[in-house]
Amino acid sequence: MKNYLAELIDSCRVKPGTKVRLKDYDPGLAGDEDIPKDERKEEANRFLKERIEILRERQELFHASDSWSILLIFQGMDTAGKDSIIRHVMTGINPQGCRVVSFKHPSINELDHNFLWRYMKELPQRGQIGVFNRSYFEEVLIVRVHPSIYKSQRIPDKLSGEEVWRSRFDDINNFERHITRNGTVILKFFLNLSKEEQRDRLLKRIEDPKKHWKFAFGDISEREHWDDYIHAYEAVLTETSTEWAPWYIIPADHKWIGRGLVASVLTTTIESMGLEYPEVSAEKRDRLSEAKKRLETDET
């Protein structure tokens, strides 16, 4: 499974300049089908635990170095498993070094600013891992699928039209390049869920009383726009996967595969940074030595 996941990660990464067609990406990928599913799932869960332990060890070093920050972005259709992946992968993280932000409908104040403004305010500071559960990509996804939302943003008429999406892609790419140049590593994950699997997950929420709270009637109406969303996502993945902020298309029909892939990308990224604990000055070393002596002779 480890070798399979390593190979799969490379195929999941959208290379810059690639024209993405989601029909070329199987949302149901789940390892070697010659191996029983239960064994594959068990191995994937074991792999996830190993990655979480590595993440736990590396986070302290990452935080102590206080130079880089990491921004994880999760996008996907309703029920794609964004919350689940975030919960499982980040379970080993010290809460002080991680912050998850979920963006809801913009406020009046937010609508009075440019479309990236409210996201800029939530970027992680140095030494922290930030998670965007949905993000500024909604501005070229749901806003594109539902033109009424774009109209509510009160953009001047002469700045409207089909070209607005090209302009927003450029703005996003430039924004991401700016923050990566200032020390933020961006990892973007699209959870690729099949329409059939979404239907099954929605039915489970209806059939299980314990999951009724998770059911949103709007999810049913959004399914009617499935093809429009696919078109919008293909444009996003094609236009905004860059060397400095790559997209990963994660198969999402089997949650245990997605968790392992995301955890592997994150830990591999941190391991590749060459981080070191901050150097201590000679003066501080002398003071530490003096503090040690005082504590060792303290008889209280």
Side-chain angles (χ1 to χ4, degrees), residues 122-188:
E122 304 296 347
L123 291 172
Q125 64 191 51
R126 301 191 191 283
Q128 286 203 332
I129 298 174
V131 181
F132 281 5
N133 186 346
R134 299 190 187 277
S135 67
Y136 41 84
F137 286 102
E138 293 297 297
E139 305 293 338
V140 284
L141 289 167
I142 189 172
V143 175
R144 189 171 189 174
V145 172
H146 296 286
S148 61
I149 300 177
Y150 180 77
K151 290 180 181 178
S152 73
Q153 296 179 342
R154 304 192 303 281
I155 308 296
D157 289 342
K158 68 178 183 178
L159 300 179
S160 300
E162 191 61 27
E163 279 302 307
V164 72
W165 311 120
R166 162 51 51 198
S167 298
R168 287 195 171 190
F169 290 146
D170 290 343
D171 290 340
I172 288 171
N173 287 338
N174 290 331
F175 169 64
E176 291 184 334
R177 184 151 204 167
H178 168 68
I179 62 177
T180 57
R181 282 172 168 169
N182 284 272
T184 297
V185 174
I186 306 173
L187 300 173
K188 303 181 297 200

Side-chain angles (χ1 to χ4, degrees), residues 17-235:
T18 301
K19 183 173 177 57
V20 174
R21 300 186 307 170
L22 286 174
K23 66 179 183 180
D24 296 333
Y25 293 82
D26 182 6
L29 282 178
D32 188 348
E33 293 185 359
D34 292 333
I35 300 175
K37 181 179 177 180
D38 287 346
E39 292 183 20
R40 284 179 278 152
K41 184 175 181 179
E42 182 179 351
E43 181 61 28
N45 288 335
R46 199 159 41 238
F47 177 79
L48 175 61
K49 289 181 180 179
E50 292 173 2
R51 294 285 104 184
I52 288 173
E53 185 58 35
I54 292 173
L55 183 57
R56 180 183 293 111
E57 295 172 355
R58 290 282 171 167
Q59 188 205 2
E60 181 180 345
L61 174 58
F62 179 76
H63 182 70
S65 68
D66 198 29
S67 54
W68 295 91
S69 59
I70 295 178
L71 175 62
L72 306 179
I73 292 176
F74 291 92
Q75 293 284 160
M77 302 291 195
D78 297 316
T79 76
K82 297 181 292 296
D83 292 337
S84 176
I85 282 187
I86 293 169
R87 183 172 64 253
H88 282 81
V89 173
M90 310 308 285
T91 187
I93 292 284
N94 184 328
Q96 292 182 321
C98 178
R99 182 163 176 259
V100 179
V101 184
S102 296
F103 294 95
K104 307 300 183 183
H105 191 279
S107 67
I108 297 297
N109 184 40
E110 289 169 339
L111 287 172
D112 278 337
H113 292 80
N114 71 75
F115 79 93
L116 287 170
W117 182 75
R118 67 175 180 148
Y119 306 100
M120 294 177 186
K121 299 187 301 176
E122 304 296 347
L123 291 172
Q125 64 191 51
R126 301 191 191 283
Q128 286 203 332
I129 298 174
V131 181
F132 281 5
N133 186 346
R134 299 190 187 277
S135 67
Y136 41 84
F137 286 102
E138 293 297 297
E139 305 293 338
V140 284
L141 289 167
I142 189 172
V143 175
R144 189 171 189 174
V145 172
H146 296 286
S148 61
I149 300 177
Y150 180 77
K151 290 180 181 178
S152 73
Q153 296 179 342
R154 304 192 303 281
I155 308 296
D157 289 342
K158 68 178 183 178
L159 300 179
S160 300
E162 191 61 27
E163 279 302 307
V164 72
W165 311 120
R166 162 51 51 198
S167 298
R168 287 195 171 190
F169 290 146
D170 290 343
D171 290 340
I172 288 171
N173 287 338
N174 290 331
F175 169 64
E176 291 184 334
R177 184 151 204 167
H178 168 68
I179 62 177
T180 57
R181 282 172 168 169
N182 284 272
T184 297
V185 174
I186 306 173
L187 300 173
K188 303 181 297 200
F189 302 98
F190 168 62
L191 306 188
N192 188 24
L193 182 73
S194 69
K195 193 174 184 180
E196 296 74 20
E197 179 63 20
Q198 188 199 55
R199 173 183 175 274
D200 290 344
R201 291 182 185 181
L202 288 172
L203 282 172
K204 287 179 181 177
R205 290 183 179 183
I206 293 174
E207 294 166 353
D208 185 351
K210 294 180 180 179
K211 295 183 177 181
H212 284 177
W213 67 273
K214 297 176 68 175
F215 185 84
F217 290 98
D219 293 347
I220 302 298
S221 58
E222 287 300 284
R223 270 177 66 83
E224 298 173 4
H225 301 280
W226 185 273
D227 291 343
D228 294 331
Y229 274 109
I230 292 297
H231 172 73
Y233 268 113
E234 288 177 338

Side-chain angles (χ1 to χ4, degrees), residues 227-269:
D227 291 343
D228 294 331
Y229 274 109
I230 292 297
H231 172 73
Y233 268 113
E234 288 177 338
V236 165
L237 296 165
T238 296
E239 301 295 339
T240 63
S241 192
T242 58
E243 292 292 346
W244 56 89
W247 274 107
Y248 292 86
I249 299 177
I250 304 296
D253 280 6
H254 301 285
K255 293 182 179 181
W256 37 278
I257 284 289
R259 293 165 186 165
L261 289 172
V262 170
S264 186
V265 171
L266 176 56
T267 53
T268 300
T269 298

